[in-house]
Amino acid sequence: MNLLGQLLENNAQWAEKIKAEDPAFFETLAAQQAPEYLWIGCSDSRVPANQLLGLLPGDIFVHRNIANLVVHTDLNCMSVIQYAVDILKVKHIIVTGHYGCGGIKTALENTSHGLIDYWLRNIKDTYQKHRRKFNSQMTQEQRVDFLCELNVIEQVENICHTSIVQEAWQREQELTVHGWVYSIKDGLLRDLEVAVSSQKQLEKIYRIGEV
């Protein structure tokens, strides 16, 4: 059996296992989508949202890209956030980075990598903004991991600065934006303790529609 054939066989076995545990699972799943969470994570194959959280299909809405960035000109990401907030009415948006992120490592380099350089410029900007928080005693691994955390916090802010999220708060919709980081070394998630659930938590310059 070739590799793709094996994947299809794996899928068939998985579907049978799910139906054996809950015969109505797929019928119920097909009828509606009502997740309470939007996960914005890295495309890294080692960081799968459902498995890390122990959730089944239908439990979490997911958007992934290189280095879990939220860029306001990225219509893909903005569309996902709008659909999750306005249509699905998720209660939590969770930005999750991971230690040892390849995108973060590459952003700290000064070599050219082609098209991805435009994307990684956003991470370079975050490093430049916080460069004084890095010290000469840090190893390269520590620098990368610290920037992974700073990048998550930056993306939480970017989400909160969108009109999508702020309009939800203005209509008193329950919504909190969180920042987490995942360690591939031990499989554990860490809460960075940045949770924003109100426009009042933002710097005044970023508050939309405030008079």
Side-chain angles (χ1 to χ4, degrees), residues 9-208:
E9 177 62 25
N10 291 348
N11 168 252
Q13 293 177 9
W14 171 79
E16 285 302 318
K17 180 175 182 292
I18 294 292
K19 285 187 287 187
E21 295 173 353
D22 181 359
F25 179 82
F26 290 111
E27 182 179 346
T28 302
L29 192 64
Q32 65 175 347
Q33 177 181 209
E36 294 194 353
Y37 315 97
L38 165 61
W39 170 285
I40 297 179
C42 184
S43 296
D44 193 300
S45 61
R46 299 167 296 176
V47 192
N50 286 70
Q51 288 92 327
L52 298 186
L53 300 172
L55 297 177
L56 291 170
D59 289 339
I60 189 165
F61 200 55
V62 176
H63 176 77
R64 296 169 69 180
N65 61 48
I66 294 174
N68 44 270
L69 296 182
V70 176
V71 181
H72 292 151
T73 54
D74 179 4
L75 295 183
N76 186 350
C77 185
M78 291 299 106
S79 297
V80 168
I81 293 173
Q82 181 169 32
Y83 189 83
V85 173
D86 293 348
I87 306 301
L88 297 177
K89 307 293 185 185
V90 298
K91 292 182 173 62
H92 302 276
I93 299 176
I94 307 166
V95 182
T96 306
H98 67 97
Y99 294 125
C101 178
I104 301 292
K105 288 180 182 177
T106 303
L108 284 173
E109 299 173 357
N110 292 109
T111 54
S112 175
H113 296 277
L115 183 63
I116 196 175
D117 291 338
Y118 297 101
W119 185 253
L120 298 180
R121 180 64 55 82
N122 297 285
I123 303 170
K124 291 179 182 289
D125 290 343
T126 296
Y127 172 77
Q128 185 67 10
K129 177 179 176 180
H130 298 282
R131 68 188 185 281
R132 290 184 177 86
K133 296 178 182 178
F134 293 79
N135 64 66
S136 58
Q137 305 304 314
M138 287 181 167
T139 65
Q140 182 63 8
E141 181 179 3
Q142 289 172 330
R143 289 166 62 84
V144 169
D145 288 349
F146 185 42
L147 186 53
C148 287
E149 295 177 359
L150 292 174
N151 181 56
V152 167
I153 295 169
E154 194 76 14
Q155 307 322 309
V156 168
E157 292 178 356
N158 286 345
I159 292 171
C160 295
H161 295 164
T162 66
S163 58
I164 302 165
V165 168
Q166 293 196 42
E167 287 171 3
W169 286 332
Q170 288 167 4
R171 58 178 179 261
E172 299 185 349
Q173 183 173 330
E174 181 183 349
L175 179 64
T176 303
V177 186
H178 310 264
W180 292 357
V181 66
Y182 174 68
S183 174
I184 295 172
K185 292 181 179 179
D186 62 16
L188 296 178
L189 288 158
R190 175 188 171 198
D191 188 347
L192 294 178
E193 298 183 357
V194 286
V196 186
S197 56
S198 168
Q199 199 176 30
K200 294 179 181 178
Q201 293 176 256
L202 307 181
E203 295 289 343
K204 189 172 182 180
I205 190 65
Y206 294 109
R207 299 176 195 171
I208 298 171

